[in-house]
Amino acid sequence: MQTALVILAAGMGSRMKSDIPKVLHEVAGLPLIGHAMKAGASVSPARTVVVTGHGADAVEAVVARLDPDAVCVRQAEQLGTGHAVDQAREALAGFKGTVIVLYGDTPFVSAETLQALVASSETSDVTVLGFEAQDPALYGRLITDGDALERIVEAKDASEEELAVTLCNSGVIAAGCETLFKLIADVGNENASGEYYLTDVVGLARDKGLSATYVTCPEAETMGINDRAQLASAEGVFQSRARHEAMLSGVTLAEPDSVYFAHDTEIARDVWVGPNVVFGPGVSVREGARVQAFSHLEGCVVGSDATVGPFARLRPGADLASGSRVGNFVEIKNAVIEQGAKVNHLSYVGDAHVGAAANIGAGTITCNYDGVMKHRTEIGAGAFVGSNTLLVAPVKMGAEAMTASGTVVTEDVPDGALAIGRAKAVIKPGFARKLMQLLRAKKMKRD
């Protein structure tokens, strides 16, 4: 059976105290709406519809980047969840499968849970995702009779007996497309908020002789984000899971609580990660690599048995081959460091290709930007770049070429050649003592 997603992302999120739409705030480097879309992708939806409202232009731009096939529709007035889902009616016209309604501010619903919803929808007209709440508080309650779901009652509309129920509503629901929209058409707004509740479709379904049931998941999966404190809690939940999964897969984290992963970090077995390492989006680390303390990686590849850090920064486009070394206070950007090459300390290598077994001395800078354009530097295999060398791109150093310390390279250096470009030092005997005496005398007069 085909599935479709309707993801609700229209809420203002005023408790976030932000000009940024709530669903664009990030957990692990990915907007909340991206987490919902990523979860939904696990059921291979034939269609994805995102209902936007507050900050619609910004939200729709992000949705288009994450999934160009997703369709966005707008909820101009915030009249409740039932009204929000109804905005997807036209976008799902003619669809014959199951529709799953998700929320753009609920990032942790698992693939297993969504698959359970799909399976349940094959035998039930309506399926709701519920959870046992430690503190039910203001959650809607699932009123059940065995496996049958009778109705959902919002906390503000619940009786004392209904408030004692701890099986709560996550808001996530699955139903056949035609059934869902027929039920939504009958939803009214005779309630304490004057809104059209999606939850009312359960009672309407039972009134029409249709079946309704529920599946459950851990409460942590239903965590919604409404303010900055909850956003921080969600980040903590993600990081805790990511660290645990990494260690179970064969990664050593020397100080797990200080390591931060992105939503898409790929890290292979036998990788060693030191304290206070941050993996931004788009990082892949291969087998046996070592990422040492206080390093920051983003948009890069670290090859097998390569070493990074401590205190290194790998920016987007950095590609370290196996056995290469990037040391302390080194920044690599949009550059390939080939097998066995070394950039051990205090250097910037950007828009460059460093050949196999080349050695880049301390203080080396590839001068890649002229104020308007970026230019590339090519360093050949086995080259030796002396300390404090400036390579003014575009420029090439040949294989086994060398620069003397302090050289400014402005033209290509052939294979095996030595480039020396520094001013001759002038030594004046005794001048340092005389100069210091004069300076001290001036200071005494001034004081």
Side-chain angles (χ1 to χ4, degrees):
M1 180 184 295
Q2 285 191 321
T3 60
L5 302 177
V6 175
I7 303 176
L8 306 187
M12 294 180 63
S14 58
R15 286 165 56 190
M16 298 295 288
K17 308 295 184 185
S18 176
D19 295 328
I20 300 169
K22 178 170 68 168
V23 297
L24 297 189
H25 287 267
E26 294 184 352
V27 168
L30 183 68
L32 294 173
I33 184 66
H35 285 276
M37 295 172 70
K38 189 174 181 179
S42 65
V43 295
S44 303
R47 303 188 198 181
T48 298
V49 182
V50 179
V51 182
T52 64
H54 176 65
D57 289 339
V59 174
E60 289 168 8
V62 170
V63 169
R65 174 171 56 83
L66 295 172
D67 181 2
D69 294 326
V71 174
C72 291
V73 297
R74 296 194 180 185
Q75 183 188 25
E77 296 182 88
Q78 307 295 298
L79 300 179
T81 51
H83 179 261
V85 174
D86 200 39
Q87 307 312 299
R89 182 184 296 270
E90 184 176 341
L92 292 175
F95 182 72
K96 301 299 183 183
T98 296
V99 175
I100 301 176
V101 179
L102 299 174
Y103 294 82
D105 61 356
T106 305
F108 295 136
V109 178
S110 70
E112 293 77 14
T113 294
L114 293 180
Q115 288 158 6
L117 277 169
V118 172
S120 177
S121 68
E122 294 178 358
T123 57
S124 178
D125 294 306
V126 177
T127 302
V128 170
L129 178 62
F131 63 97
E132 287 288 344
Q134 288 187 341
D135 179 11
L138 299 179
Y139 290 118
R141 307 305 205 269
L142 302 190
I143 308 303
T144 64
D145 181 6
D147 291 335
L149 178 60
E150 297 291 335
R151 65 189 184 281
I152 303 175
V153 181
E154 296 297 329
K156 65 187 71 175
D157 301 314
S159 66
E160 288 298 321
E161 183 180 0
E162 289 167 337
L163 286 174
V165 174
T166 58
L167 181 61
C168 294
N169 176 38
S170 72
V172 175
I173 191 169
C177 186
E178 185 177 356
T179 298
L180 178 64
F181 286 106
K182 281 183 178 179
L183 293 171
I184 285 175
D186 292 334
V187 170
N189 64 342
E190 298 80 21
N191 53 61
S193 298
E195 294 185 347
Y196 298 89
Y197 293 151
L198 178 62
T199 51
D200 285 352
V201 302
V202 173
L204 290 168
R206 297 309 302 267
D207 290 345
K208 295 176 184 293
L210 301 176
S211 59
T213 189
Y214 62 96
V215 297
T216 60
C217 69
E219 183 175 2
E221 288 190 26
T222 69
M223 180 181 186
I225 311 302
N226 293 300
D227 56 37
R228 306 289 182 135
Q230 291 174 341
L231 185 69
S233 295
E235 184 73 42
V237 168
F238 179 93
Q239 295 301 334
S240 180
R241 290 179 181 176
R243 294 161 186 155
H244 184 69
E245 290 170 4
M247 290 185 286
L248 289 183
S249 68
V251 177
T252 296
L253 305 181
E255 190 178 302
D257 288 349
S258 70
V259 175
Y260 284 81
F261 292 100
H263 66 98
D264 59 353
T265 304
E266 297 178 357
I267 188 162
R269 64 190 300 171
D270 293 325
V271 170
W272 185 92
V273 181
N276 297 291
V277 170
V278 176
F279 295 96
V283 176
S284 178
V285 185
R286 307 281 166 75
E287 293 83 356
R290 291 180 66 87
V291 183
Q292 303 196 88
F294 293 97
S295 294
H296 188 285
L297 294 76
E298 181 178 0
C300 63
V301 176
V302 178
S304 58
D305 301 312
T307 301
V308 177
F311 296 97
R313 184 182 182 195
L314 302 186
R315 291 172 57 193
D319 188 344
L320 278 55
S322 61
S324 58
R325 295 174 59 90
V326 169
N328 51 288
F329 305 106
V330 171
E331 181 176 343
I332 308 291
K333 189 271 293 186
N334 192 29
V336 175
I337 312 298
E338 293 286 8
Q339 185 172 5
K342 300 176 183 179
V343 191
N344 273 336
H345 26 238
L346 299 162
S347 295
Y348 169 73
V349 177
D351 298 294
H353 185 280
V354 178
N359 188 92
I360 310 299
T364 294
I365 298 173
T366 59
C367 306
N368 56 331
Y369 185 48
D370 63 10
V372 178
M373 304 284 289
K374 297 290 181 69
H375 303 279
R376 289 194 65 78
T377 297
E378 301 286 337
I379 299 173
F384 183 92
V385 180
S387 298
N388 203 33
T389 291
L390 303 182
L391 296 154
V392 183
V395 71
K396 295 181 180 179
M397 278 188 65
E400 299 180 342
M402 180 183 293
T403 68
S405 297
T407 293
V408 179
V409 179
T410 58
E411 58 186 83
D412 292 351
V413 181
D415 292 353
L418 170 65
I420 304 176
R422 58 190 180 203
K424 182 179 179 181
V426 177
I427 299 173
K428 297 184 176 182
F431 187 81
R433 291 193 182 96
K434 293 178 182 178
L435 178 61
M436 292 303 294
Q437 289 170 358
L438 288 171
L439 292 174
R440 289 177 182 129
K442 285 183 179 181
K443 183 179 180 183
M444 289 179 67
K445 286 182 181 179
R446 187 182 64 188
D447 295 342

